[in-house]
């Protein structure tokens, strides 16, 4: 008897192809849930199927935004960010439907290189500017508000000496994102410990 093994070229998305955590760590229950929803969208959405095929996430978490509101932050590989951004508006809309209206944000996974980076023996040259804490926090802010553009930033000192970052968003998007700016501020605050307020440029 000869047994022939026919390898199928059909890619069947399932949860395990949609999440790959750093260092092979096990995803938690919430992350499995998000990965499952992505796999379901890949199966059911003709518009997203081809785009989602090679994409996966690296982590997901719920962020408490106060007043009983929660947001969902999904981390994706930095190299895949551009591919996600092409379908982001549609993907976020679908995921928000599935997660009963909670706001969804997609953020690229970036590594912060500490100040010791340039001093270690193995590395030649200075640490890249794009990997400093400040640069990563700036990039996170851009990811949170995407696809709206940031048109300006000012740092203000409050009476208690705490700094607040005033961020100006493109006024053309005001109608679409006005209802989301409280979530943006809460999520940015949770991820960076920095206080931020959003305004619209005219």
């Amino acid at each position: 008897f000869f047994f022939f093994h026919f390898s199928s070229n059909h890619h069947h998305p399932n949860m395990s192809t949609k999440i790959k955590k750093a260092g092979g760590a096990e995803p938690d229950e919430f992350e499995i849930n998000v990965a499952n929803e992505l796999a379901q969208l890949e199966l059911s959405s003709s518009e997203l199927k081809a785009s989602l095929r090679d994409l996966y996430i690296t982590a997901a978490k719920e962020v408490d935004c106060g007043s009983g509101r929660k947001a969902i932050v999904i981390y994706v590989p930095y190299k895949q960010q551009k591919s996600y951004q092409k379908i982001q508006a549609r993907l976020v809309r679908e995921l928000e439907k599935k997660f009963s209206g909670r706001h969804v944000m997609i953020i690229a996974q970036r590594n912060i290189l500490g100040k010791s980076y340039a001093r270690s023996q193995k590395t030649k040259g200075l640490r890249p500017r794009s990997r400093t804490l400040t640069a990563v926090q700036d990039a996170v802010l851009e990811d949170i508000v995407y696809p709206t553009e940031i048109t300006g930033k000012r740092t203000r000192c409050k009476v208690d000496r705490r700094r607040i970052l005033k961020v100006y968003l493109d006024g053309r998007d005001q109608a679409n994102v006005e209802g989301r700016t409280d979530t943006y501020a809460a999520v940015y605050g949770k991820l960076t410990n920095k206080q931020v307020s959003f305004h619209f440029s005219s």
Side-chain angles (χ1 to χ4, degrees), residues 59-111:
K61 64 179 181 181
E62 275 192 301
V63 176
D64 190 349
C65 299
S67 324
R69 291 175 307 124
K70 281 193 163 70
I72 295 169
V73 175
I74 297 173
Y75 288 95
V76 303
Y78 181 69
K79 287 187 177 127
Q80 292 189 358
Q81 185 181 30
K82 291 270 186 290
S83 303
Y84 269 103
Q85 287 181 340
K86 285 177 189 155
I87 56 165
Q88 188 154 324
R90 171 88 206 191
L91 181 61
V92 164
R93 206 161 50 240
E94 291 299 329
L95 287 171
E96 288 184 346
K97 273 190 239 165
K98 288 177 179 281
F99 287 102
S100 48
R102 276 171 285 176
H103 291 156
V104 171
M105 271 139 272
I106 296 174
I107 296 179
Q109 188 89 53
R110 296 178 181 86
N111 297 327

